[in-house]
Amino acid sequence: MHKIDHIAIAVNSLATSIPLFEKLLDTPCYRVEEVASEKVKTAFFQSGESKIELLEGMDPEGVISKFIHKKGEGIHHIAFAVMDIHEKIKELKEKGFEFINETPKKGADNKWIVFLHPKCTNGVLIELCQEIS
Ligand code: ZN
């Protein structure tokens, strides 16, 4: 993996959490974006080489709303930046890892993304992402 691209945190309200993280990280939120296909609203902050992504569910049936309902607010996934997402998927599958989706889809912040299945990574949801050039 190239580096940790971002750590994503599920929150009840971006309106509340954006000012909180701006205060904490001492940096302005640089991007707010809806990902309609995932029924989620995202907000990004730069922190050194990595980013913090806040996730607010837009639909009670969406994955983030369900996650918060079950576990409460908190860390939702860790994303690693990769140079060649297709190559990395192939490599990790050969090593026995399973994916939730094996075809990269368009995520927030101009990225192709895939998720590994948390059952093969000790319950941690891992995202791979590659910048769309
Ligand atoms: Zn992410």
Side-chain angles (χ1 to χ4, degrees):
M1 312 286 196
H2 177 47
K3 64 169 185 181
I4 291 180
D5 184 81
H6 60 272
I7 294 173
I9 301 169
V11 302
N12 283 321
S13 159
L14 286 185
T16 308
S17 295
I18 287 174
L20 176 74
F21 276 82
E22 286 181 333
K23 199 158 67 174
L24 174 70
L25 301 170
D26 200 22
T27 185
C29 168
Y30 71 87
R31 184 173 186 139
V32 175
E33 185 181 346
E34 286 184 12
V35 184
S37 60
E38 303 293 308
K39 296 172 180 149
V40 71
K41 220 153 80 182
T42 65
F44 286 90
F45 306 79
Q46 195 72 41
S47 177
E49 277 226 314
S50 304
K51 287 164 263 180
I52 297 292
E53 173 184 32
L54 302 181
L55 301 167
E56 179 194 314
M58 296 164 66
D59 181 319
E61 291 306 306
V63 285
I64 296 306
S65 305
K66 282 183 178 165
F67 175 90
I68 290 178
H69 186 71
K70 222 164 89 181
K71 300 188 174 175
E73 293 179 298
I75 292 181
H76 181 261
H77 65 266
I78 298 175
F80 292 93
V82 297
M83 297 303 189
D84 183 335
I85 200 164
H86 294 284
E87 195 54 43
K88 188 54 84 176
I89 293 166
K90 202 173 136 232
E91 180 195 317
L92 290 177
K93 277 178 71 181
E94 282 166 7
K95 289 180 179 171
F97 289 97
E98 290 173 45
F99 286 80
I100 291 175
N101 60 308
E102 287 181 21
T103 308
K105 47 187 181 178
K106 224 172 178 172
D109 206 30
N110 195 41
K111 297 280 200 326
W112 291 114
I113 62 169
V114 287
F115 286 99
L116 276 82
H117 203 293
K119 75 178 176 192
C120 65
T121 48
N122 292 127
V124 179
L125 184 59
I126 305 270
E127 173 190 322
L128 307 180
C129 62
Q130 181 188 348
E131 195 96 34
I132 298 173
S133 50

